Amino acid sequence: MNKKKLCAILVLGALLSGGCGSGFRHNAGAGTGDAPGPRVMENGIIFTFLSPKATSVCIAGDFNNWSMTSDPLFDREGTGIWTILLPLPPGRYEYKFVVDLEKWVADPGNAESIDDGFGGFNSLLIVE
C-alpha cells in the first residue's frame, strides 16, 4: 500500500472514530458510508466530503448566505477526502456541498435533511 493511500485511510479512520461530543445532534452512522457526517471537534465542526474526481469542493449553507465559494474544503493529500473545520455556534443549519462550482450535493454522510424548496434536499445540522 502506498504512503498516500495509507495516510487517507488513517485520516478517514480517525474521523470515523471521533464520535459526537455533547451539544451536537446527528444521526451518526445513518449516512451512505461514503464519508462521515459532520463531527464535533474542540474548535468547531469538521465537514468531510469524499470525491476523488472533484477539482474543488465548497460548503454552502445558511451560515454563509449560501455562498458557493466562501468556505472551500481542502484535499491536502490528493486522496479525494475533502475537509473543512467551521467554528459554528449553537444553532440550526442547512447546507450542501458545491462540487466544481456547479453540482450541489446534500451531505451523503448526514441522514438528517429538509426539503430545499427546489425539488431536492438540504442537509440539516443542529448544534446544541
Side-chain angles (χ1 to χ4, degrees):
M1 182 176 305
N2 72 33
K3 188 175 180 179
K4 206 178 249 192
K5 283 185 180 176
L6 178 59
C7 185
I9 290 170
L10 292 173
V11 167
L12 191 55
L15 290 170
L16 287 170
S17 65
C20 296
S22 62
F24 177 73
R25 191 170 72 197
H26 170 69
N27 191 359
T32 64
D34 292 337
R39 299 285 186 227
V40 173
M41 304 302 280
E42 187 172 310
N43 51 350
I45 308 295
I46 191 165
F47 294 87
T48 304
F49 187 77
L50 179 63
S51 183
K53 294 181 180 181
T55 58
S56 70
V57 178
C58 292
I59 189 168
D62 49 15
F63 48 80
N64 66 5
N65 293 316
W66 295 97
S67 170
M68 294 174 60
T69 58
S70 66
D71 291 308
L73 282 74
F74 295 95
D75 178 9
R76 297 193 194 285
E77 300 295 324
T79 58
I81 301 172
W82 298 81
T83 60
I84 188 170
L85 178 69
L86 295 177
L88 297 177
R92 179 186 177 279
Y93 302 101
E94 294 182 32
Y95 68 96
K96 282 188 177 178
F97 294 109
V98 183
V99 181
D100 296 333
L101 293 174
E102 61 184 40
K103 186 176 180 184
W104 291 72
V105 181
D107 187 343
N110 182 353
E112 301 297 324
S113 63
I114 188 165
D115 188 313
D116 67 3
F118 298 100
F121 293 92
N122 292 331
S123 295
L124 178 64
L125 172 67
I126 299 172
V127 179
E128 296 176 337

